[in-house]
Amino acid sequence: MNAMNERRVWFWRACCATLSLLCACAAVMADFTDEFQSALKLFGESKHAEASVQFAALAVRAPTAGSKSVSLRYAVLSAISAKQLAKAEELLAQIPRESTKKLCRMNLLLAQRQPQELVKCFKDENLTEWSDVHVYDALMARGQAFRSLRQFAEALKDFAKAEEFATTPNKQTHVLNLAGSVLIESGEDGRALTVYRRMKGISSLKGYGIINDAIISAARILAKQGKYKEALREMDGITPAISGYWHARPFIVRAEIHAAQGRKAEAIENYNKALQSAPDDLRGSIQAALEKLR
């Protein structure tokens, strides 16, 4: 009985020790998560230098290799945004997860305006084999490098593949917007128009600036093709705001379309509407456009 009692005591002590350890780990993880969210808030508020310091400190005591990699990734991104490129280089060398380290290298090369080096390093890499959380961002980074080098076909391939890995409407809209810009740069206005209309169809983002930009881009393509009525119908998809940038810009684009038609009175009317509640940084260009028409 004594031996059996000793085993029972040992068993319960082991259970208690394990439970205490699990509780301690949970508390550490909770503290880490709270501080990570605090650092993310700094990042979202564009306090990049402070965010980089906080993420780097979190990486030192991260409970797992994965959480360390994520912390260092944000530390690198924050340092890049703060234009602390040497610091970003130092931080990315500490990242344990290889795909995270490579992605940060891509981000840094773009910030250093070295798209040729990025393509040289990653052109033949199958980015879809990376950790799922990095595939979209890696394809976007390489696509932007190809775009900078005017290798438009390769850029479009990466953007098309990135769309397959876009997990949110925001990500899908972002990649489509870049693809549309590349198509315009490469002289493929017809394909660009299709892309911008696809963006317009993302109903959950209707009214957001990036969707309004897509509508404006589509309208300008149609006006360039001489399809002025269709361009103006396209602009009906934007409801001007009461004041500010998105009050003025829709009226400015309508004025440009009317001016291209030779309908001077309608162009002047729309420029005047834009001027009524335009932000200061747009007023000068609107006044200059009005002067040219008068």
Side-chain angles (χ1 to χ4, degrees), residues 170-186:
N170 282 327
K171 287 186 174 182
Q172 183 188 12
T173 305
H174 183 47
V175 69
L176 287 174
N177 191 46
L178 285 174
S181 298
V182 169
L183 287 165
I184 287 177
E185 289 171 18
S186 59

Side-chain angles (χ1 to χ4, degrees), residues 22-77:
L22 289 173
C23 290
C25 289
V28 168
M29 196 64 194
D31 288 344
F32 179 87
T33 301
D34 288 345
E35 291 182 39
F36 188 88
Q37 292 301 319
S38 175
L40 272 181
K41 184 179 179 183
L42 291 173
F43 184 81
E45 293 171 349
S46 298
K47 297 176 181 177
H48 298 300
E50 296 172 55
S52 182
V53 170
Q54 192 160 326
F55 281 122
L58 280 168
V60 173
R61 51 192 181 80
T64 66
S67 57
K68 180 173 183 176
S69 294
V70 172
S71 298
L72 284 169
R73 182 191 174 202
Y74 276 99
V76 170
L77 291 175

Side-chain angles (χ1 to χ4, degrees), residues 3-277:
M4 185 177 292
N5 285 337
E6 286 178 6
R7 284 197 295 271
R8 286 175 177 170
V9 170
W10 177 88
F11 174 77
W12 284 112
R13 283 177 177 172
C15 287
C16 289
T18 301
L19 183 60
S20 296
L21 180 61
L22 289 173
C23 290
C25 289
V28 168
M29 196 64 194
D31 288 344
F32 179 87
T33 301
D34 288 345
E35 291 182 39
F36 188 88
Q37 292 301 319
S38 175
L40 272 181
K41 184 179 179 183
L42 291 173
F43 184 81
E45 293 171 349
S46 298
K47 297 176 181 177
H48 298 300
E50 296 172 55
S52 182
V53 170
Q54 192 160 326
F55 281 122
L58 280 168
V60 173
R61 51 192 181 80
T64 66
S67 57
K68 180 173 183 176
S69 294
V70 172
S71 298
L72 284 169
R73 182 191 174 202
Y74 276 99
V76 170
L77 291 175
S78 299
I80 289 171
S81 296
K83 303 190 185 304
Q84 298 172 347
L85 303 188
K87 181 179 179 182
E89 184 89 46
E90 177 187 334
L91 289 165
L92 77 83
Q94 303 170 32
I95 299 174
R97 187 165 55 197
E98 192 61 26
S99 61
T100 306
K101 183 182 290 187
K102 287 181 176 180
L103 177 57
C104 287
R105 170 63 62 190
M106 287 179 154
N107 297 144
L108 183 56
L109 287 170
L110 286 175
Q112 293 170 328
R113 298 184 181 179
Q114 297 185 45
Q116 187 69 58
E117 183 64 20
L118 190 157
V119 168
K120 178 183 175 182
C121 293
F122 298 103
K123 181 178 181 180
D124 298 322
E125 186 131 4
N126 185 353
L127 302 180
T128 61
E129 293 182 349
W130 286 17
S131 171
D132 286 350
V133 295
H134 293 329
V135 173
Y136 171 87
D137 292 319
L139 286 164
M140 292 291 279
R142 190 173 68 183
Q144 290 181 70
F146 279 128
R147 179 189 181 185
S148 296
L149 298 171
R150 301 188 66 78
Q151 296 180 27
F152 297 131
E154 296 301 322
L156 289 167
K157 284 180 188 176
D158 273 351
F159 291 149
K161 182 61 68 174
E163 190 184 355
E164 295 177 22
F165 289 85
T167 54
T168 66
N170 282 327
K171 287 186 174 182
Q172 183 188 12
T173 305
H174 183 47
V175 69
L176 287 174
N177 191 46
L178 285 174
S181 298
V182 169
L183 287 165
I184 287 177
E185 289 171 18
S186 59
E188 297 191 61
D189 287 358
R191 289 178 64 193
L193 180 61
T194 300
V195 168
Y196 288 129
R197 282 178 164 166
R198 283 186 61 206
M199 286 177 66
K200 182 181 174 182
I202 301 175
S203 58
S204 61
L205 294 180
K206 184 178 179 181
Y208 281 70
I210 195 166
I211 301 299
N212 289 346
D213 281 333
I215 291 170
I216 286 171
S217 294
R220 283 177 166 161
I221 289 171
L222 290 166
K224 183 179 174 182
Q225 295 172 343
K227 300 175 182 177
Y228 301 116
K229 289 183 179 179
E230 195 173 343
L232 290 168
R233 282 198 300 271
E234 198 78 30
M235 289 300 299
D236 290 340
I238 301 176
T239 301
I242 295 172
S243 62
Y245 180 83
W246 281 111
H247 165 82
R249 194 167 180 217
F251 287 118
I252 291 169
V253 177
R254 284 183 173 277
E256 291 170 352
I257 295 169
H258 284 307
Q261 279 181 293
R263 296 169 62 179
K264 187 181 292 188
E266 287 93 334
I268 290 171
E269 180 185 355
N270 276 278
Y271 277 131
N272 281 325
K273 287 180 180 178
L275 201 56
Q276 287 172 7
S277 299

